[in-house]
Amino acid sequence: MNHDFLRLSLLFILLTLAQVFILNHVQLFGIAIPMPYIFFVITMKKGMAKWAMITWAFAMGIVLDTFANTPGVTAASLTMAAMAQPYVLDLFMTREGDGDLVPSVSTIGAKPFVNYATVLTGGFCIAYFTLEMFSFLNYLRWLECVVASTLLTVALVVAIDSLKRKKD
């Protein structure tokens, strides 16, 4: 079997289980929702086929939507993030042509990785909360949720990446 398929499958299962059984029940200050499953999209290989990225992200989104009772919100947001991932990654890459690169602190550096994760997570959170609220009548609440969830999720993504590096 392909090493990438196994890596993505294991990451898919672990992040889904963590979100469903633990993190779906956490909401800090009533606004910040931890959504570290975006790590799945953030760490997709640079040269991965776009159709495969979108399919993996949509599948994870549908599974998470099923357990969280948010019909299509996570699937649409993760699919959007997967579509944007190659372009956002190119903004923070320092070297060209490395098609097998898996984005992490150790491969692209700490500052570029945090910036890359923040931009992709911010876009994901904007899409997620726009679809979830489906209204801009309470735009301050929307902005609070987007900013707080982005910061919390980026902190979790960096923590997961550092745990992954210690294992290697």
Side-chain angles (χ1 to χ4, degrees):
M1 264 204 182
N2 191 354
H3 176 68
D4 291 331
F5 180 79
L6 290 175
R7 181 185 74 82
L8 286 173
S9 298
L10 183 62
L11 193 58
F12 184 103
I13 291 167
L14 290 174
L15 289 172
T16 300
L17 289 174
Q19 186 68 37
V20 168
F21 290 116
I22 300 167
L23 298 171
N24 273 351
H25 307 289
V26 174
Q27 189 174 16
L28 297 177
F29 309 113
I31 55 172
I33 301 170
M35 299 181 275
Y37 51 84
I38 189 72
F39 182 76
F40 184 73
V41 173
I42 288 172
T43 59
M44 286 186 173
K45 203 184 257 191
K46 181 174 171 30
M48 188 174 188
K50 288 182 179 66
W51 68 266
M53 294 172 71
I54 292 169
T55 303
W56 275 105
F58 182 75
M60 178 176 251
I62 285 294
V63 169
L64 291 170
D65 279 334
T66 301
F67 286 105
N69 198 22
T70 54
V73 174
T74 307
S77 303
L78 268 181
T79 303
M80 184 276 316
M83 289 178 3
Q85 191 262 4
Y87 306 108
V88 175
L89 180 59
D90 284 342
L91 294 174
F92 298 101
M93 290 291 298
T94 56
R95 41 190 155 138
E96 294 291 323
D98 194 1
D100 288 342
L101 177 99
V102 175
S104 70
V105 170
S106 60
T107 58
I108 66 173
K111 186 176 179 184
F113 180 76
V114 171
N115 291 338
Y116 158 66
T118 302
V119 169
L120 201 59
T121 303
F124 167 77
C125 286
I126 288 170
Y128 182 89
F129 287 108
T130 300
L131 291 171
E132 184 186 54
M133 293 180 181
F134 210 70
S135 170
F136 286 110
L137 293 177
N138 195 355
Y139 63 91
L140 289 176
R141 171 91 172 149
W142 173 83
L143 187 61
E144 288 174 340
C145 289
V146 168
V147 172
S149 295
T150 299
L151 293 174
L152 178 61
T153 302
V154 168
L156 288 172
V157 164
V158 172
I160 293 169
D161 185 65
S162 69
L163 288 174
K164 190 181 80 165
R165 279 186 287 133
K166 287 183 181 181
K167 183 191 71 140
D168 296 339

